[in-house]
Amino acid sequence: MNKYFALRKANRMRTRLLTEKSQEQLKEVIRYLRRVSWDSCGIELVHNDLLDISIQANAENQELFDSISDAKTFVEEVKPSLKTLRAADYFWFLAPLYFFFEWGVEGLLLYPVIGDWVFELSVGYLMQLVVAVTAFCALFRRMMEQVGFPPRDHWLKYATWLVLYIVTLYGTGWFFTQVAGKIVLLRLPILSYSIFCLLLGAGLYAIHFWRYGKDPRLTARL
């Protein structure tokens, strides 16, 4: 079995051994780390370490953290140890997401409604895509990586940046469509295009998780 999935499965099973309060504390920390970092392997290893601490604490009739400040101190100490993604790494997170869900699943769901609609790959569409990916990496992710703990205390910052991202995406999309939307490079029936994107996205996800399983930190731990 893929080592990443093996560790993830073991973490889920061991979480059930904790008290209800410790489970909630653990979930809040892990949920936060997933929002501020895409180092999924590193987060699962932190999850595993926290489970060891939690189980020992519960055996002594204590919880994982005594207060929210203890949890905050923990995440501030562990966050720098998680990998910071390089520009090239974003491909493995964005490409499967766009192909599988955005263009694959969404296209198949819309097919009964829009019928034999034809997807047009225009210069304007490509320009919008570049802006969307750049905005996602440079704006949205950078904000998420810097947000504090607990995230519920920073919900306004989340909402503001999300609205800014949406406005940027659709605003530039409209503009580039007006400028270069009529320069069409490729036309494909929506059904064929959606199936192609679905298969391509699934393949990229398979490579993505295979790379997770080969992470040297997992090899050293398992």
Side-chain angles (χ1 to χ4, degrees), residues 74-124:
F74 175 82
V75 297
E76 288 176 348
E77 290 177 350
V78 75
K79 195 162 74 167
S81 68
L82 298 175
K83 287 183 178 180
T84 301
L85 295 177
R86 300 163 300 174
D89 294 327
Y90 283 108
F91 171 81
W92 294 107
F93 295 93
L94 291 179
L97 179 66
Y98 272 106
F99 281 112
F100 189 83
F101 292 104
E102 183 73 15
W103 297 325
V105 174
E106 183 179 328
L108 291 178
L109 292 176
L110 290 177
Y111 178 71
V113 178
I114 60 180
D116 294 327
W117 178 70
V118 176
F119 170 78
E120 295 184 344
L121 182 63
S122 66
V123 173

Side-chain angles (χ1 to χ4, degrees), residues 68-177:
I68 192 67
S69 61
D70 291 339
K72 183 176 181 178
T73 299
F74 175 82
V75 297
E76 288 176 348
E77 290 177 350
V78 75
K79 195 162 74 167
S81 68
L82 298 175
K83 287 183 178 180
T84 301
L85 295 177
R86 300 163 300 174
D89 294 327
Y90 283 108
F91 171 81
W92 294 107
F93 295 93
L94 291 179
L97 179 66
Y98 272 106
F99 281 112
F100 189 83
F101 292 104
E102 183 73 15
W103 297 325
V105 174
E106 183 179 328
L108 291 178
L109 292 176
L110 290 177
Y111 178 71
V113 178
I114 60 180
D116 294 327
W117 178 70
V118 176
F119 170 78
E120 295 184 344
L121 182 63
S122 66
V123 173
Y125 184 87
L126 291 176
M127 293 168 71
Q128 182 196 14
L129 179 61
V130 171
V131 171
V133 174
T134 303
F136 190 86
C137 298
L139 177 65
F140 190 64
R141 285 308 306 174
R142 182 166 296 180
M143 177 279 300
M144 294 291 284
E145 290 169 0
Q146 295 175 358
V147 76
F149 181 88
R152 62 175 176 269
D153 293 342
H154 304 270
W155 67 270
L156 183 59
K157 186 183 295 185
Y158 276 112
T160 301
W161 283 101
L162 181 59
V163 169
L164 180 59
Y165 173 72
I166 293 173
V167 170
T168 301
L169 179 62
Y170 284 95
T172 55
W174 176 86
F175 175 76
F176 290 133
T177 299

Side-chain angles (χ1 to χ4, degrees), residues 35-55:
R35 288 179 180 177
V36 301
S37 172
W38 283 352
D39 184 6
S40 297
C41 291
I43 292 170
E44 286 301 331
L45 291 170
V46 172
H47 192 171
N48 188 260
D49 292 336
L50 279 176
L51 281 167
D52 292 338
I53 298 171
S54 302
I55 292 172

Side-chain angles (χ1 to χ4, degrees), residues 18-34:
L18 307 180
T19 63
E20 185 175 344
K21 184 175 180 180
S22 288
Q23 286 188 39
E24 289 300 319
Q25 292 176 335
L26 177 62
K27 288 178 181 178
E28 185 171 30
V29 168
I30 297 302
R31 188 181 301 119
Y32 169 77
L33 292 177
R34 285 182 180 144

Side-chain angles (χ1 to χ4, degrees), residues 171-204:
T172 55
W174 176 86
F175 175 76
F176 290 133
T177 299
Q178 299 300 314
V179 173
K182 294 182 180 180
I183 307 176
V184 179
L185 304 175
L186 181 67
R187 289 183 173 90
L188 287 173
I190 187 61
L191 183 60
S192 301
Y193 177 72
S194 298
I195 293 175
F196 168 76
C197 289
L198 198 69
L199 294 175
L200 179 59
L204 290 173

